[in-house]
Amino acid sequence: MRYVDEFRDRVKADVLVKEIERLLAHMGRDQDRPLQIMEVCGGHTHTIFRYGVEGMLPKSIELVHGPGCPVCVLPMGRVDDCVAIAERAEVIFTTFGDAMRVPGSRKSLLQAKADGCDVRMVYSPMDALALARKNPTREVVFFGIGFETTMPSTALTVLQAEREGIKNFSIFCNHITIVPTIKAILDSPDLRLDGFLGPGHVSMVIGDAPYEFIARYYKKPMVIAGFEPLDILQSLWMLLKQIDEGRCEIENQYARVAPAGGNAVALQAVAQVYELREFFEWRGLGSIDHSGVKVREAYAGFDAERRFAVPNARIADPSSCQCGEVLKGVIKPWQCKVFGRACTPETPLGALMVSSEGACAAYYQYGGIKRGRDEAKASAA
């Protein structure tokens, strides 16, 4: 516990906040045009709200909550595909718990389970493979979801299934990759961002080299950050220091966990099992070229999309939902017209309210709804 406590030390946090204030003052930043920093990862969003990091910062710096929660960006059509597979009598459909509540156009996986489908929560793809061993007369499908962080574990499970000759196991692949997504954000005509906090756990796999284009071609700084409160504050200080000194570089605050070169074994498994899709649809962001992966032909027997017919329909989000604007930093969660009213963690309308890492859910859970109302009153006064 002591190791964790060191990264939550209030005295050290106050020192970092003072340094951030000093740098902002030196840059002459004010509240009229606050510096906008996007934390790409939903894990960072959770830390920021849980520990009140945003409330410690001066108004001249604004945190923008990015698209780094894979559950939140899963489009309705893919959820419908999951439900269609789960509704087959021969299938045991396995998934991580937070994906069970994501609403599709007809129902969620949780509702499908309530309707009698064999949907089971697992903690890893290896748990799903174990189910396949125990149930040789059933088809066990694992819902592969997540960025490069979870992509290797699914790939290694496919390779394990191949070694054992298991024929009743497959994955419904919805793995996505972070780099094209950041590029799409940088290409947005509405871009107002001044820098990025990079996802530390993705860098555990891919390292920091894939982000070099952000500094080289878009002239924006990034600091790869860890997930404790002091990690976030130190990373913000490092970003501001770059901006103050006129530098644009990719720096790694999370070097204690994320090596510069990434994880060679994980990257090899990913390259062996997957190839890039031509395009992939993101909830709230639309289709982004080469932002998802699919199972290679050599492992087609483990690809649920090839084994089972799915609707593969594109379903528009509810018109009242403004998850897309929140993901792009155009509005804050509390500025969405259904936030905290039609859309709550108990009855999520938008994807950002479903997962605990979603910006709206984190904002709601840690008191943001009251703060939003207070800020709305102050703006109207």
Side-chain angles (χ1 to χ4, degrees), residues 99-121:
M100 293 184 74
R101 296 174 59 242
V102 183
S105 67
R106 293 190 296 126
K107 61 178 77 172
S108 66
L109 284 168
L110 192 61
Q111 290 166 324
K113 181 179 176 65
D115 291 341
C117 298
D118 196 347
V119 178
R120 306 188 193 185
M121 188 183 78

Side-chain angles (χ1 to χ4, degrees), residues 38 64-65 190 192 283-285 319-333 335-337 352:
M38 172 177 278
V64 177
H65 317 302
D190 300 328
R192 293 180 296 175
R283 197 167 197 166
L285 295 176
S319 58
S320 56
C321 174
Q322 295 180 278
C323 282
E325 287 91 333
V326 175
L327 284 171
K328 289 183 282 193
V330 177
I331 64 171
K332 289 288 189 182
Q335 292 173 312
C336 174
K337 49 196 170 191
L352 294 181

